[in-house]
Coordinates of all heavy atoms in Angstrom, one line a residue:
Q51 N -79.1 -4.1 -62.7 CA -78.5 -5.1 -61.9 C -77.0 -5.1 -62.0 O -76.4 -4.5 -62.8 CB -79.1 -6.5 -62.1 CG -78.6 -7.0 -63.6 CD -79.0 -8.5 -63.7 OE1 -80.2 -8.9 -63.9 NE2 -77.9 -9.4 -63.6
G52 N -76.4 -5.9 -61.2 CA -74.9 -6.0 -61.2 C -74.5 -7.1 -62.1 O -75.3 -8.1 -62.5
G53 N -73.2 -7.2 -62.3 CA -72.8 -8.4 -63.2 C -73.1 -9.8 -62.6 O -73.4 -10.7 -63.2
G54 N -72.9 -9.8 -61.2 CA -73.1 -11.1 -60.5 C -74.5 -11.4 -60.1 O -74.8 -12.4 -59.4
T55 N -75.4 -10.3 -60.3 CA -76.7 -10.5 -59.7 C -77.5 -11.6 -60.4 O -77.5 -11.6 -61.7 CB -77.4 -9.1 -59.8 OG1 -76.7 -8.1 -59.5 CG2 -78.8 -9.2 -59.0
V73 N -77.3 -4.2 -67.4 CA -76.5 -4.8 -66.4 C -75.2 -3.8 -66.3 O -74.5 -3.4 -67.1 CB -75.9 -6.2 -67.0 CG1 -75.0 -6.8 -65.9 CG2 -77.0 -7.2 -67.3
F74 N -74.9 -3.7 -64.8 CA -73.7 -2.8 -64.4 C -72.6 -3.8 -64.3 O -72.3 -4.3 -63.2 CB -74.1 -2.1 -63.2 CG -73.0 -1.5 -62.5 CD1 -72.2 -0.5 -63.2 CD2 -72.6 -1.7 -61.2 CE1 -71.2 0.3 -62.6 CE2 -71.5 -1.1 -60.6 CZ -70.9 0.0 -61.3
G75 N -72.0 -4.2 -65.5 CA -70.9 -5.2 -65.5 C -71.0 -5.9 -66.9 O -71.9 -5.8 -67.7
V76 N -69.9 -6.6 -67.2 CA -69.8 -7.2 -68.5 C -70.4 -8.6 -68.3 O -71.1 -9.0 -69.4 CB -68.2 -7.4 -68.9 CG1 -67.6 -8.3 -68.1 CG2 -68.2 -7.8 -70.4
G77 N -70.4 -9.2 -67.3 CA -71.0 -10.6 -67.2 C -72.5 -10.5 -67.1 O -73.0 -9.7 -66.3
Y78 N -73.2 -11.3 -67.7 CA -74.7 -11.4 -67.5 C -75.2 -13.0 -67.3 O -76.3 -13.3 -67.8 CB -75.4 -10.7 -68.8 CG -74.9 -11.2 -70.0 CD1 -75.4 -12.5 -70.8 CD2 -73.8 -10.6 -70.8 CE1 -74.9 -12.8 -72.0 CE2 -73.4 -11.0 -71.9 CZ -73.9 -12.1 -72.5 OH -73.4 -12.6 -73.8
D79 N -74.3 -13.6 -66.6 CA -74.6 -15.0 -66.4 C -75.8 -15.1 -65.5 O -76.4 -16.2 -65.4 CB -73.4 -15.7 -65.8 CG -72.7 -14.9 -64.8 OD1 -72.2 -13.8 -65.1 OD2 -72.3 -15.4 -63.8
T96 N -71.9 -3.9 -69.9 CA -70.7 -2.9 -69.9 C -69.4 -3.4 -70.4 O -68.5 -3.5 -69.6 CB -70.6 -2.1 -68.7 OG1 -70.2 -3.2 -67.6 CG2 -71.9 -1.5 -68.1
L100 N -64.0 -2.2 -69.0 CA -63.4 -2.7 -68.0 C -62.3 -3.8 -68.3 O -61.6 -4.2 -67.4 CB -64.4 -3.4 -67.0 CG -65.5 -4.3 -67.5 CD1 -64.8 -5.5 -68.4 CD2 -66.3 -4.9 -66.5
V104 N -59.4 -5.6 -65.6 CA -59.6 -7.0 -65.2 C -58.2 -7.7 -65.7 O -57.8 -8.5 -64.9 CB -60.8 -7.7 -66.0 CG1 -60.9 -9.1 -65.7 CG2 -62.1 -7.0 -65.4
A231 N -62.8 -14.5 -63.6 CA -63.9 -14.6 -64.4 C -65.3 -14.7 -63.6 O -65.8 -13.8 -63.2 CB -64.0 -15.7 -65.5
R232 N -65.5 -16.0 -63.2 CA -66.7 -16.3 -62.3 C -66.3 -17.5 -61.5 O -65.9 -18.5 -62.1 CB -68.0 -16.6 -63.1 CG -68.7 -15.4 -63.7 CD -69.4 -14.6 -62.7 NE -70.1 -13.4 -63.1 CZ -69.6 -12.2 -63.2 NH1 -68.4 -11.9 -62.8 NH2 -70.4 -11.2 -63.7
H279 N -63.1 -9.9 -55.4 CA -63.7 -9.6 -56.8 C -63.5 -8.2 -57.1 O -64.4 -7.4 -57.1 CB -65.4 -9.8 -56.7 CG -65.9 -10.0 -58.0 ND1 -66.9 -10.8 -58.3 CD2 -65.6 -9.2 -59.1 CE1 -67.3 -10.6 -59.6 NE2 -66.5 -9.7 -60.2
G281 N -61.6 -7.1 -59.8 CA -61.2 -7.0 -61.2 C -61.4 -5.6 -61.9 O -60.6 -5.2 -62.4
S282 N -62.6 -5.2 -61.8 CA -63.0 -3.9 -62.3 C -63.0 -2.8 -61.4 O -63.5 -1.7 -61.8 CB -64.3 -4.0 -63.1 OG -65.3 -4.1 -62.2
R288 N -65.2 1.9 -62.8 CA -66.5 1.7 -62.3 C -67.4 2.9 -62.7 O -68.5 2.8 -63.0 CB -66.4 1.6 -60.8 CG -66.1 0.3 -60.3 CD -67.2 -0.8 -60.5 NE -66.6 -2.2 -60.4 CZ -66.6 -2.8 -59.2 NH1 -66.9 -2.2 -58.2 NH2 -66.0 -4.1 -59.2
M291 N -68.3 2.2 -66.3 CA -69.3 1.2 -66.3 C -70.6 1.8 -66.0 O -71.8 1.5 -66.6 CB -68.9 0.0 -65.3 CG -67.8 -0.8 -65.8 SD -67.1 -1.8 -64.3 CE -68.5 -2.9 -64.0
Ligands
8YV401 C1 -68.4 -6.1 -61.2 C2 -68.1 -8.1 -62.8 O1 -68.0 -6.5 -59.9 O2 -68.3 -6.9 -64.9 C3 -68.7 -7.9 -64.3 O3 -69.2 -8.9 -64.8 O4 -68.2 -9.1 -62.4 C4 -67.4 -7.0 -62.1 O5 -66.9 -6.1 -63.0 C5 -69.8 -6.2 -61.0 O6 -70.5 -6.4 -62.3 C6 -70.4 -5.0 -60.5 O7 -71.7 -5.0 -60.4

Side-chain angles (χ1 to χ4, degrees):
Q51 66 166 77
T55 316
V73 180
F74 172 57
V76 68
Y78 48 89
D79 42 304
T96 63
L100 46 59
V104 179
R232 283 288 182 265
H279 198 148
S282 67
R288 285 288 167 84
M291 289 164 64

